[in-house]
Amino acid sequence: MAVPIRFLALGTHAFDRWFSSVGALKQGAICAADRSRFVIRCATAASLAYELARLVGLQHPVWAPISALIVSQESVTATLDSIHGRFLGTFIGLAVALLVNSVGRRIGIPLVLQIGIGVALCASAAMGRPLIRVCLWTCPLILVAAAPGPAPALVAVIRASEVVLGALVGGVTHIVEERIGTSANARTPGKPETEPDEGSAP
């Protein structure tokens, strides 16, 4: 009687190990699929943002794909939060740059001091708020670009257009990819139609 019990125990143990292996493989496949989706999404967003920026004639289209990639996060919610922070940070940087440049031109503050003052003001606003730290480099970019003579307001509009276009492309690409992925998961055999996909928009 002891021998059949031993064989039964060994068989149960082997089945448990097999079941754990299958679960690990399934989890690995899910992780690989998620990574593939992220890779494809980032590549698509960067390419679309650059091409759209080039087609509309933006001065430096490279900033559009950079912006699209910066806002791309693991979940739609995080991406939307990143877009909100990037918009807010960009406009803070633009406002500070225009203010500092206006005052600096009137009273003759050198560019190097304008940059220092502008970055100090932006750093005060961004301290403890990592999502809006884009203002730290937006401000000096505007100041340096406007130094040779272009109207600062025009430079600010161009920079803002590049950032906004890229961020919007990154956000829309993520939302579309998420919906496609959710639809594909819902059509997977044995998976409930109403099962929510992790990271979907609230």
Side-chain angles (χ1 to χ4, degrees):
M1 186 70 180
V3 174
I5 292 176
R6 174 184 288 182
F7 276 114
L8 182 61
L10 289 173
T12 303
H13 183 65
F15 177 77
D16 288 342
R17 291 180 61 183
W18 175 82
F19 189 77
S20 299
S21 299
V22 171
L25 289 173
K26 183 178 179 181
Q27 188 64 33
I30 292 173
C31 291
D34 288 341
R35 290 192 187 97
S36 298
R37 287 172 57 183
F38 180 75
V39 169
I40 293 171
R41 170 160 52 87
C42 287
T44 302
S47 301
L48 284 176
Y50 175 80
E51 187 61 17
L52 285 175
R54 189 186 64 81
L55 288 175
V56 299
L58 292 180
Q59 188 176 10
H60 298 289
V62 68
W63 289 110
I66 289 174
S67 185
L69 294 174
I70 288 175
V71 301
S72 294
Q73 306 296 320
E74 299 297 326
S75 68
V76 170
T77 301
T79 294
L80 295 178
D81 288 342
S82 181
I83 291 172
H84 178 264
R86 189 152 181 82
F87 284 174
L88 182 59
T90 296
F91 291 119
I92 289 174
L94 296 179
V96 170
L98 292 175
L99 174 63
V100 171
N101 181 268
S102 176
V103 175
R105 288 191 176 192
R106 287 182 182 180
I107 63 177
I109 300 177
L111 177 60
V112 65
L113 289 182
Q114 290 184 34
I115 292 173
I117 294 169
V119 171
L121 293 173
C122 290
S124 299
M127 187 181 301
R129 302 179 182 91
L131 287 177
I132 67 170
R133 283 184 183 169
V134 63
C135 66
L136 292 171
W137 54 88
T138 299
C139 177
L141 275 174
I142 300 300
L143 291 172
V144 171
L154 177 61
V155 175
V157 169
I158 294 172
R159 292 290 87 77
S161 300
E162 294 158 358
V163 169
V164 168
L165 175 63
L168 288 177
V169 170
V172 170
T173 302
H174 194 163
I175 292 171
V176 171
E177 180 273 333
E178 188 75 15
R179 292 189 181 279
I180 292 173
T182 301
S183 298
N185 288 339
R187 289 194 298 269
T188 301
K191 199 168 188 179
E193 290 290 330
T194 57
E195 182 178 340
D197 189 37
E198 183 179 351
S200 60

Coordinates of all heavy atoms in Angstrom, one line a residue, residues 59-126:
Q59 N 10.7 74.4 -37.4 CA 12.1 74.7 -37.6 C 13.0 73.6 -37.2 O 14.0 73.3 -37.9 CB 12.4 76.0 -36.9 CG 13.8 76.6 -37.1 CD 14.0 77.9 -36.4 OE1 13.2 78.3 -35.6 NE2 15.1 78.5 -36.7
H60 N 12.7 73.0 -36.1 CA 13.6 71.9 -35.6 C 12.7 70.7 -35.3 O 12.3 70.4 -34.1 CB 14.3 72.3 -34.3 CG 15.2 73.5 -34.5 ND1 16.4 73.4 -35.2 CD2 15.1 74.8 -34.1 CE1 17.0 74.6 -35.2 NE2 16.3 75.4 -34.5
P61 N 12.4 69.9 -36.3 CA 11.4 68.8 -36.1 C 12.0 67.7 -35.2 O 11.2 66.9 -34.7 CB 11.3 68.2 -37.6 CG 12.5 68.7 -38.3 CD 12.8 70.0 -37.7
V62 N 13.3 67.7 -34.9 CA 13.8 66.7 -34.0 C 13.2 66.8 -32.6 O 13.1 65.7 -31.9 CB 15.3 66.8 -33.9 CG1 15.8 68.0 -33.2 CG2 15.9 65.6 -33.2
W63 N 12.8 68.0 -32.2 CA 12.2 68.1 -30.8 C 10.8 67.4 -30.7 O 10.4 67.0 -29.6 CB 12.0 69.5 -30.4 CG 13.4 70.2 -30.2 CD1 14.0 71.1 -30.9 CD2 14.3 69.9 -29.1 NE1 15.2 71.5 -30.4 CE2 15.4 70.8 -29.3 CE3 14.2 69.1 -28.0 CZ2 16.5 70.8 -28.4 CZ3 15.3 69.1 -27.1 CH2 16.4 69.9 -27.3
A64 N 10.1 67.2 -31.8 CA 8.8 66.5 -31.8 C 9.0 65.0 -31.4 O 8.3 64.5 -30.4 CB 8.1 66.7 -33.1
P65 N 9.9 64.2 -32.0 CA 10.0 62.8 -31.6 C 10.6 62.7 -30.2 O 10.2 61.8 -29.5 CB 11.0 62.2 -32.7 CG 11.6 63.4 -33.3 CD 10.6 64.5 -33.3
I66 N 11.5 63.6 -29.8 CA 12.0 63.6 -28.5 C 10.9 63.8 -27.5 O 10.8 63.1 -26.5 CB 13.1 64.7 -28.3 CG1 14.4 64.3 -29.1 CG2 13.4 64.9 -26.8 CD1 15.4 65.4 -29.1
S67 N 10.0 64.7 -27.7 CA 8.9 64.9 -26.8 C 7.9 63.7 -26.8 O 7.4 63.3 -25.7 CB 8.1 66.2 -27.3 OG 7.1 66.5 -26.4
A68 N 7.7 63.1 -28.0 CA 6.8 61.9 -28.0 C 7.4 60.8 -27.2 O 6.6 60.1 -26.6 CB 6.7 61.5 -29.5
L69 N 8.7 60.6 -27.2 CA 9.3 59.6 -26.5 C 9.4 59.8 -25.0 O 9.2 58.9 -24.1 CB 10.8 59.3 -27.0 CG 10.8 58.8 -28.4 CD1 12.2 58.7 -28.9 CD2 10.1 57.4 -28.5
I70 N 9.6 61.1 -24.6 CA 9.7 61.5 -23.2 C 8.3 61.2 -22.5 O 8.3 60.7 -21.4 CB 10.1 62.9 -23.0 CG1 11.5 63.1 -23.4 CG2 9.8 63.4 -21.6 CD1 12.0 64.5 -23.4
V71 N 7.2 61.5 -23.2 CA 5.9 61.3 -22.5 C 5.4 59.8 -22.5 O 4.5 59.4 -21.8 CB 4.8 62.1 -23.2 CG1 5.2 63.6 -23.1 CG2 4.5 61.7 -24.6
S72 N 6.1 58.9 -23.3 CA 5.6 57.5 -23.4 C 6.0 56.8 -22.2 O 7.2 56.6 -21.9 CB 6.3 56.9 -24.6 OG 5.8 57.4 -25.8
Q73 N 5.0 56.3 -21.4 CA 5.2 55.6 -20.2 C 4.6 54.2 -20.3 O 4.2 53.8 -21.4 CB 4.6 56.4 -19.0 CG 5.0 57.8 -18.9 CD 6.5 58.0 -18.6 OE1 7.0 57.2 -17.8 NE2 7.1 58.9 -19.2
E74 N 4.6 53.5 -19.2 CA 4.2 52.1 -19.2 C 2.6 51.9 -19.3 O 2.1 51.0 -19.9 CB 4.6 51.3 -17.9 CG 6.1 51.3 -17.8 CD 6.8 50.5 -18.9 OE1 6.2 49.5 -19.4 OE2 7.9 50.9 -19.3
S75 N 1.9 52.9 -18.8 CA 0.4 52.8 -18.8 C -0.1 54.1 -19.5 O 0.6 55.2 -19.5 CB -0.1 52.6 -17.4 OG 0.1 53.8 -16.7
V76 N -1.3 54.0 -19.9 CA -2.0 55.2 -20.5 C -2.1 56.3 -19.5 O -1.9 57.5 -19.8 CB -3.4 54.9 -21.1 CG1 -4.1 56.1 -21.5 CG2 -3.2 54.0 -22.3
T77 N -2.5 56.0 -18.3 CA -2.6 57.0 -17.2 C -1.3 57.7 -17.0 O -1.3 58.9 -16.9 CB -3.1 56.3 -15.9 OG1 -4.4 55.6 -16.1 CG2 -3.3 57.3 -14.8
A78 N -0.2 56.9 -16.9 CA 1.1 57.6 -16.7 C 1.5 58.4 -17.8 O 2.1 59.5 -17.7 CB 2.1 56.5 -16.4
T79 N 1.2 58.0 -19.1 CA 1.5 58.8 -20.2 C 0.7 60.1 -20.2 O 1.2 61.2 -20.5 CB 1.1 58.0 -21.5 OG1 2.0 56.9 -21.6 CG2 1.3 58.9 -22.8
L80 N -0.6 60.1 -19.9 CA -1.4 61.3 -19.8 C -0.9 62.2 -18.8 O -0.9 63.5 -19.0 CB -2.9 60.9 -19.6 CG -3.6 60.1 -20.7 CD1 -5.0 59.8 -20.4 CD2 -3.5 60.9 -22.1
D81 N -0.5 61.7 -17.6 CA 0.1 62.5 -16.6 C 1.4 63.2 -17.1 O 1.6 64.4 -16.8 CB 0.4 61.7 -15.3 CG -0.9 61.3 -14.6 OD1 -1.9 61.9 -14.8 OD2 -0.8 60.3 -13.8
S82 N 2.2 62.4 -17.8 CA 3.4 62.9 -18.3 C 3.2 64.1 -19.3 O 3.9 65.1 -19.4 CB 4.2 61.8 -19.0 OG 5.5 62.3 -19.5
I83 N 2.2 63.9 -20.2 CA 1.8 64.9 -21.2 C 1.4 66.2 -20.4 O 1.8 67.3 -20.8 CB 0.7 64.4 -22.1 CG1 1.2 63.3 -23.0 CG2 0.1 65.5 -22.9 CD1 0.2 62.6 -23.8
H84 N 0.5 66.0 -19.4 CA 0.1 67.2 -18.7 C 1.3 67.9 -18.0 O 1.3 69.2 -18.1 CB -0.9 66.7 -17.6 CG -1.4 67.9 -16.7 ND1 -0.8 68.2 -15.5 CD2 -2.4 68.8 -16.9 CE1 -1.4 69.2 -15.0 NE2 -2.4 69.6 -15.8
G85 N 2.2 67.2 -17.4 CA 3.3 67.8 -16.8 C 4.2 68.5 -17.9 O 4.8 69.5 -17.6
R86 N 4.4 67.8 -19.0 CA 5.2 68.4 -20.1 C 4.6 69.7 -20.6 O 5.4 70.7 -20.9 CB 5.4 67.4 -21.2 CG 6.5 67.8 -22.2 CD 7.1 66.7 -22.9 NE 8.2 67.1 -23.9 CZ 9.4 67.4 -23.5 NH1 9.8 67.4 -22.3 NH2 10.3 67.8 -24.5
F87 N 3.3 69.7 -20.8 CA 2.7 71.0 -21.3 C 2.9 72.1 -20.3 O 3.3 73.2 -20.6 CB 1.2 70.7 -21.5 CG 0.8 70.0 -22.8 CD1 -0.5 69.6 -23.0 CD2 1.8 69.7 -23.7 CE1 -0.8 69.0 -24.2 CE2 1.5 69.0 -24.8 CZ 0.2 68.6 -25.1
L88 N 2.6 71.8 -19.0 CA 2.7 72.8 -17.9 C 4.1 73.3 -17.8 O 4.4 74.5 -17.7 CB 2.2 72.2 -16.6 CG 2.2 73.1 -15.4 CD1 1.3 74.4 -15.7 CD2 1.7 72.4 -14.2
G89 N 5.1 72.3 -17.7 CA 6.5 72.7 -17.6 C 7.0 73.5 -18.8 O 7.7 74.5 -18.6
T90 N 6.5 73.1 -20.0 CA 7.0 73.9 -21.2 C 6.5 75.3 -21.1 O 7.3 76.3 -21.4 CB 6.4 73.2 -22.5 OG1 7.0 71.9 -22.6 CG2 6.8 74.0 -23.7
F91 N 5.2 75.5 -20.8 CA 4.7 76.9 -20.7 C 5.3 77.7 -19.6 O 5.4 78.9 -19.7 CB 3.2 76.8 -20.7 CG 2.6 76.3 -22.0 CD1 1.8 75.2 -22.0 CD2 2.8 77.0 -23.2 CE1 1.3 74.7 -23.2 CE2 2.3 76.5 -24.4 CZ 1.5 75.4 -24.4
I92 N 5.6 77.0 -18.5 CA 6.3 77.7 -17.4 C 7.7 78.2 -17.9 O 8.1 79.4 -17.7 CB 6.5 76.9 -16.2 CG1 5.1 76.6 -15.5 CG2 7.5 77.5 -15.2 CD1 5.2 75.6 -14.3
G93 N 8.4 77.3 -18.6 CA 9.7 77.7 -19.1 C 9.6 78.8 -20.1 O 10.5 79.7 -20.1
L94 N 8.6 78.8 -21.0 CA 8.4 79.8 -22.0 C 8.1 81.1 -21.3 O 8.7 82.2 -21.7 CB 7.3 79.4 -22.9 CG 7.5 78.2 -23.8 CD1 6.2 78.0 -24.7 CD2 8.7 78.3 -24.7
A95 N 7.2 81.1 -20.3 CA 6.8 82.4 -19.7 C 8.0 83.0 -19.0 O 8.2 84.2 -19.0 CB 5.7 82.1 -18.7
V96 N 8.8 82.2 -18.3 CA 10.0 82.7 -17.5 C 11.0 83.2 -18.5 O 11.6 84.3 -18.3 CB 10.6 81.6 -16.7 CG1 11.9 82.0 -16.1 CG2 9.6 81.2 -15.5
A97 N 11.2 82.5 -19.6 CA 12.2 83.0 -20.6 C 11.8 84.3 -21.2 O 12.6 85.2 -21.4 CB 12.4 81.9 -21.7
L98 N 10.5 84.5 -21.6 CA 10.1 85.7 -22.1 C 10.2 86.9 -21.1 O 10.5 88.0 -21.5 CB 8.6 85.6 -22.6 CG 8.4 84.6 -23.8 CD1 6.9 84.5 -24.1 CD2 9.1 85.2 -25.0
L99 N 9.8 86.6 -19.9 CA 9.9 87.6 -18.9 C 11.4 88.1 -18.6 O 11.7 89.3 -18.6 CB 9.3 87.1 -17.6 CG 9.5 88.0 -16.3 CD1 8.7 89.3 -16.6 CD2 9.0 87.3 -15.1
V100 N 12.2 87.1 -18.5 CA 13.7 87.4 -18.2 C 14.3 88.1 -19.4 O 15.1 89.0 -19.3 CB 14.4 86.1 -17.9 CG1 15.9 86.4 -17.8 CG2 14.0 85.6 -16.5
N101 N 13.9 87.6 -20.6 CA 14.5 88.2 -21.8 C 14.0 89.7 -22.0 O 14.8 90.6 -22.4 CB 14.1 87.4 -23.0 CG 14.7 88.0 -24.3 OD1 14.0 88.8 -25.0 ND2 15.9 87.6 -24.7
S102 N 12.7 89.9 -21.7 CA 12.2 91.3 -21.8 C 12.9 92.2 -20.9 O 13.3 93.3 -21.3 CB 10.7 91.3 -21.5 OG 10.2 92.6 -21.6
V103 N 13.0 91.8 -19.6 CA 13.7 92.7 -18.6 C 15.2 92.8 -18.9 O 15.8 93.9 -18.8 CB 13.5 92.1 -17.2 CG1 14.3 92.9 -16.2 CG2 12.0 92.1 -16.8
G104 N 15.8 91.7 -19.3 CA 17.2 91.7 -19.6 C 17.6 92.6 -20.8 O 18.6 93.3 -20.7
R105 N 16.7 92.7 -21.8 CA 17.0 93.5 -23.0 C 16.8 95.0 -22.6 O 17.5 95.9 -23.1 CB 16.1 93.2 -24.1 CG 16.5 91.9 -24.8 CD 15.7 91.7 -26.1 NE 16.1 90.5 -26.8 CZ 15.8 90.2 -28.1 NH1 15.1 91.0 -28.8 NH2 16.2 89.1 -28.6
R106 N 15.9 95.3 -21.7 CA 15.7 96.7 -21.3 C 16.8 97.2 -20.5 O 17.2 98.4 -20.6 CB 14.3 96.8 -20.6 CG 13.1 96.6 -21.4 CD 11.9 96.8 -20.6 NE 10.7 96.6 -21.5 CZ 9.4 96.7 -21.0 NH1 9.2 97.0 -19.8 NH2 8.4 96.4 -21.8
I107 N 17.3 96.4 -19.5 CA 18.3 97.0 -18.6 C 19.7 96.4 -18.9 O 20.7 96.7 -18.1 CB 17.9 96.7 -17.2 CG1 17.9 95.2 -16.8 CG2 16.6 97.4 -16.8 CD1 17.6 94.9 -15.4
G108 N 19.9 95.7 -20.0 CA 21.2 95.2 -20.4 C 21.8 94.1 -19.6 O 23.0 94.1 -19.4
I109 N 21.0 93.1 -19.2 CA 21.5 92.0 -18.5 C 22.2 91.0 -19.5 O 21.5 90.6 -20.5 CB 20.4 91.2 -17.7 CG1 19.8 92.1 -16.7 CG2 21.0 90.0 -17.0 CD1 18.6 91.5 -15.9
P110 N 23.4 90.6 -19.3 CA 24.1 89.7 -20.2 C 23.3 88.3 -20.3 O 22.6 87.9 -19.4 CB 25.4 89.5 -19.6 CG 25.6 90.6 -18.7 CD 24.3 91.0 -18.2
L111 N 23.5 87.7 -21.4 CA 22.7 86.4 -21.7 C 23.1 85.4 -20.6 O 22.2 84.7 -20.1 CB 23.1 85.8 -23.0 CG 22.5 84.5 -23.4 CD1 21.0 84.5 -23.4 CD2 23.0 84.0 -24.7
V112 N 24.3 85.3 -20.2 CA 24.7 84.3 -19.2 C 24.0 84.5 -17.9 O 23.6 83.5 -17.2 CB 26.2 84.3 -19.0 CG1 26.7 85.6 -18.4 CG2 26.7 83.1 -18.1
L113 N 23.7 85.8 -17.5 CA 23.0 86.1 -16.3 C 21.5 85.8 -16.5 O 20.8 85.4 -15.6 CB 23.2 87.5 -15.8 CG 24.6 87.8 -15.2 CD1 24.7 89.2 -14.8 CD2 24.9 86.8 -14.1
Q114 N 21.0 86.1 -17.7 CA 19.6 85.8 -18.0 C 19.3 84.3 -17.8 O 18.3 83.9 -17.3 CB 19.3 86.2 -19.4 CG 19.2 87.7 -19.6 CD 18.8 88.1 -21.0 OE1 17.9 87.4 -21.6 NE2 19.3 89.2 -21.6
I115 N 20.2 83.5 -18.3 CA 20.1 82.0 -18.2 C 20.1 81.6 -16.7 O 19.2 80.8 -16.3 CB 21.2 81.3 -19.0 CG1 21.1 81.5 -20.5 CG2 21.2 79.8 -18.6 CD1 22.2 81.0 -21.3
G116 N 21.0 82.2 -16.0 CA 21.1 81.8 -14.5 C 19.8 82.2 -13.8 O 19.3 81.5 -13.0
I117 N 19.3 83.4 -14.1 CA 18.1 83.9 -13.4 C 16.9 83.1 -13.8 O 16.1 82.6 -13.0 CB 17.8 85.4 -13.7 CG1 19.0 86.3 -13.1 CG2 16.5 85.8 -13.2 CD1 18.9 87.7 -13.6
G118 N 16.8 82.8 -15.1 CA 15.7 82.0 -15.6 C 15.6 80.6 -15.1 O 14.6 80.1 -14.7
V119 N 16.8 80.0 -15.1 CA 16.8 78.6 -14.6 C 16.5 78.6 -13.1 O 15.9 77.6 -12.6 CB 18.2 78.0 -14.9 CG1 18.3 76.6 -14.2 CG2 18.3 77.7 -16.4
A120 N 17.0 79.6 -12.3 CA 16.7 79.6 -10.9 C 15.2 79.7 -10.6 O 14.7 79.1 -9.8 CB 17.5 80.8 -10.3
L121 N 14.5 80.6 -11.4 CA 13.1 80.7 -11.3 C 12.4 79.4 -11.6 O 11.5 79.0 -10.9 CB 12.6 81.8 -12.1 CG 13.0 83.3 -11.7 CD1 12.6 84.3 -12.8 CD2 12.4 83.6 -10.4
C122 N 12.8 78.8 -12.7 CA 12.2 77.5 -13.1 C 12.5 76.4 -12.1 O 11.6 75.6 -11.8 CB 12.7 77.1 -14.5 SG 12.1 78.1 -15.8
A123 N 13.7 76.4 -11.5 CA 14.0 75.4 -10.5 C 13.2 75.5 -9.3 O 12.8 74.5 -8.7 CB 15.5 75.5 -10.2
S124 N 12.9 76.8 -8.9 CA 12.0 77.0 -7.8 C 10.6 76.4 -8.0 O 10.0 75.9 -7.1 CB 11.9 78.5 -7.5 OG 13.2 79.0 -7.2
A125 N 10.1 76.6 -9.3 CA 8.8 76.0 -9.6 C 8.8 74.5 -9.7 O 7.8 73.9 -9.3 CB 8.3 76.7 -10.9
A126 N 9.9 73.9 -10.2 CA 9.9 72.5 -10.5 C 10.4 71.7 -9.3 O 10.3 70.5 -9.3 CB 10.9 72.2 -11.6

